[in-house]
Amino acid sequence: MGSHIGGDELAVSNPTRAAQEISQTIFSLDLGGISTVILNGYDAIKECLYHQSEVFADRPSLPLFQKMTKMGGLLNCKYGSGWIEHRKLALNSFRYFGNGEKMFQRISEECMFFCDAIDMHKGKPFNPKHLVTNAVSNVTNLIIFGQRFTYDDRDFQHMIEIFSENVELAASAWAFLYNAFPWLEYLPFGKHQRLFRNATKVYDFLLQIIERFTQGRVQYSPRHYIDAYLDEMEQIANDKAASFSRENLIFSVGELIIAGTETTTNTLRWAMLYLALYPSIQEKVHREIDSVLNGRAPTMEDKQRMPYVEAVLHEVLRFCNIVPLGIFRATSQDAVVRGYTIPRGTMVITNLYSVHFDEKYWREPAVFCPERFLDNNGNFVRRDAFVPFSVGRRHCLGEQLARMEMFLFFTTLFQRFHLQFPQGSVPSLRSKLGMTLQPLPYSICAIRRQR
């Protein structure tokens, strides 16, 4: 398969235009000996991930992830019975522990803790990253551990910081070099060594915390994901082919914390930044929230009555491309796409940036415009070429929970506060590159609204 790439300077100086140039192509390249195919544009990604979902459901056997998780756990697990077992358990846990009135109440309580912590800054400038990260991670913690952690729990906060750093390091040049030349492991320097040290720290911490939260466990009466996992382990204790193990439990817990924290956290941080940048959009959000809620706390039933809030959240997800290249996949068998043969085991990168900035589906895609998700009557409209949670068998298993979190945190935040930048200070809109795109650190003022 020949490459359709051209113009490296174009990609660096104008990534939006570059994405448009290659928006309908499928091309291959060699990443240090790793055969790779990049899918661009909604049509190509849908054809592969949706219509051939099983074929494109594998994970590449990258040396980095072999070293860190032995291709076990949940997110990096190779396609097969082990992945099916782990995903089924995770989905059931999210449905059982992550839905219902009780979970809604606990998320609403977390929203209050979050806003109360913001209120302590008394309208003065602060960096929201720490508070947003802690609040969002606590929702996932409720499913995994059955309880939240306070915002001053130093051990847990340190672990979250390490997770965040590893998300950046895993997409660094050193990580790509390590995948191409695994012998770099023997060099005493390089960011990959920090990545490995961090992974060891997290593994040890998770081992301790899992032991803590399994105290008082009653078999087959699970209180949270960890209990449910141990029940599965004991049920198949004599099955040597089963994939449930203590080690895979630790890997799975770590992956669920990262996946449940990074994307939603960065979505909310971008939302805060852009609404402070565009006061007219923020004012429309305030008006809709006030008219629907009339001072009471939001419920999930209100979601259908807030089309503009929904439009803003969707535009943030589209425009900011939180996971621009998705999570790398691999073909589980030979595939044929548009006349090209993609061999089994080929790494597949889905360029979601090319989908969300494709002029075939989006008018003026480089403009931040929530109205693109509204019809002429102001009703919310779903768009096909909107895939921030990916599609196919490996699509985000926590999508429903993430959508609930984003709506409740966003609505509660803007019901109580007006956001603005410190006088004379407008932050950079450039993103910090990693496996996810997060805004560069910024300060913001949250002014208590008078209603």
Side-chain angles (χ1 to χ4, degrees):
M1 189 186 305
S3 170
H4 295 279
I5 274 188
D8 291 339
E9 290 183 3
L10 170 67
V12 173
S13 62
N14 193 336
T16 300
R17 185 181 163 201
Q20 293 167 356
E21 291 287 330
I22 61 175
S23 63
Q24 298 302 317
T25 65
I26 301 174
F27 60 91
S28 64
L29 67 161
D30 188 302
L31 292 177
I34 302 170
S35 179
T36 306
V37 166
I38 299 182
L39 304 178
N40 293 286
Y42 175 65
D43 296 340
I45 289 175
K46 182 180 179 182
E47 179 180 343
C48 295
L49 271 56
Y50 184 77
H51 294 297
Q52 300 187 60
S53 60
E54 187 171 358
V55 177
F56 287 85
D58 209 355
R59 289 286 190 232
S61 298
L62 298 176
L64 182 68
F65 294 114
Q66 289 176 356
K67 169 76 173 178
M68 294 179 65
T69 67
K70 303 176 184 177
M71 302 306 292
L74 174 62
L75 298 185
N76 289 318
C77 183
K78 299 288 289 180
Y79 182 69
S81 59
W83 173 77
I84 292 171
E85 289 171 349
H86 277 77
R87 184 165 177 104
K88 181 180 178 181
L89 175 62
L91 283 170
N92 288 340
S93 296
F94 270 74
R95 292 190 187 107
Y96 187 77
F97 303 114
N99 285 326
E101 184 64 25
K102 183 178 180 181
M103 188 62 180
F104 163 75
Q105 292 294 341
R106 297 185 78 173
I107 295 176
S108 297
E109 288 173 5
E110 194 64 45
C111 291
M112 292 296 107
F113 287 127
F114 173 58
C115 287
D116 288 346
I118 290 176
D119 221 2
M120 293 179 67
H121 291 279
K122 305 297 183 184
K124 295 180 180 179
F126 72 103
N127 182 343
K129 180 180 179 179
H130 175 78
L131 288 179
V132 177
T133 302
N134 281 277
V136 169
S137 67
N138 267 338
V139 176
T140 308
N141 292 337
L142 292 172
I143 296 172
I144 298 175
F145 305 112
Q147 74 172 52
R148 67 185 296 273
F149 292 84
T150 62
Y151 297 164
D152 57 3
D153 186 312
R154 292 186 178 181
D155 290 337
F156 188 79
Q157 307 322 318
H158 182 56
M159 187 186 73
I160 290 295
E161 289 172 4
I162 291 176
F163 274 142
S164 183
E165 182 179 31
N166 276 7
V167 168
E168 295 176 34
L169 292 174
S172 68
W174 273 101
F176 279 98
L177 282 172
Y178 180 85
N179 283 327
F181 309 106
W183 53 262
L184 288 173
E185 177 181 349
Y186 300 104
L187 295 180
F189 56 86
K191 289 185 177 180
H192 63 293
Q193 295 293 0
R194 184 170 182 83
L195 186 67
F196 298 149
R197 287 194 297 271
N198 283 350
T200 299
K201 290 178 184 177
V202 168
Y203 187 96
D204 292 341
F205 178 81
L206 289 176
L207 183 60
Q208 295 174 21
I209 205 170
I210 286 171
E211 292 297 327
R212 182 172 125 203
F213 282 100
T214 51
Q215 293 178 8
R217 170 177 167 255
V218 177
Q219 191 178 38
Y220 305 133
S221 295
R223 301 159 297 178
H224 41 63
Y225 173 78
I226 296 173
D227 279 357
Y229 194 103
L230 293 175
D231 285 343
E232 292 290 335
M233 272 184 59
E234 291 172 4
Q235 276 189 308
I236 50 83
N238 297 321
D239 184 356
K240 294 182 180 179
S243 61
F244 294 109
S245 68
R246 284 272 177 178
E247 187 173 55
N248 278 336
L249 169 59
I250 295 169
F251 292 147
S252 298
V253 167
E255 290 168 345
L256 286 172
I257 292 173
I258 293 174
T261 301
E262 279 291 316
T263 52
T264 303
T265 291
N266 289 324
T267 300
L268 290 171
R269 290 176 63 210
W270 280 116
M272 294 171 73
L273 190 156
Y274 271 95
L275 264 65
L277 185 67
Y278 296 115
S280 60
I281 295 177
Q282 185 175 177
E283 179 57 33
K284 290 179 183 178
V285 166
H286 286 318
R287 286 203 302 267
E288 184 172 79
I289 290 174
D290 291 347
S291 66
V292 172
L293 299 184
N294 195 27
R296 63 174 173 79
T299 67
M300 290 311 297
E301 286 71 28
D302 296 318
K303 201 165 181 276
Q304 302 298 323
R305 301 164 61 195
M306 294 188 187
Y308 193 73
V309 165
E310 274 285 88
V312 169
L313 286 171
H314 278 68
E315 181 66 347
V316 170
L317 285 166
R318 181 199 72 85
F319 191 80
C320 297
N321 275 290
I322 312 300
V323 191
L325 301 179
I327 300 178
F328 295 173
R329 304 194 184 202
T331 47
S332 61
Q333 61 191 64
D334 291 353
V336 177
V337 181
R338 301 187 177 186
Y340 293 115
T341 298
I342 304 177
R344 176 184 177 183
T346 300
M347 184 163 77
V348 178
I349 298 176
T350 54
N351 182 5
L352 302 185
Y353 194 102
S354 71
V355 178
H356 293 147
F357 283 79
D358 188 345
E359 290 186 332
K360 178 180 177 181
Y361 293 96
W362 308 101
R363 182 181 179 184
E364 296 184 300
V367 176
F368 186 84
C369 178
E371 282 76 12
R372 70 176 77 251
F373 287 96
L374 300 174
D375 64 17
N376 292 333
N377 297 317
N379 299 313
F380 178 74
V381 177
R382 298 186 183 278
R383 302 291 185 187
D384 287 339
F386 178 76
V387 290
F389 299 97
S390 193
V391 293
R393 298 213 173 186
R394 289 275 190 170
H395 76 276
C396 175
L397 61 85
E399 177 178 351
Q400 288 185 323
L401 181 64
R403 288 182 178 276
M404 182 192 299
E405 288 178 72
M406 283 186 274
F407 174 76
L408 291 175
F409 276 112
F410 181 91
T411 306
T412 306
L413 173 68
F414 285 98
Q415 181 184 36
R416 187 183 293 193
F417 299 106
H418 171 80
L419 301 185
Q420 63 189 46
F421 299 125
Q423 189 170 5
S425 172
V426 178
S428 169
L429 297 181
R430 295 180 62 187
S431 55
K432 193 173 184 179
L433 183 61
M435 293 184 73
T436 62
L437 291 186
Q438 57 177 296
L440 295 173
Y442 65 87
S443 292
I444 204 162
C445 301
I447 311 301
R448 190 70 180 262
R449 297 180 63 216
Q450 302 297 321
R451 299 188 302 277

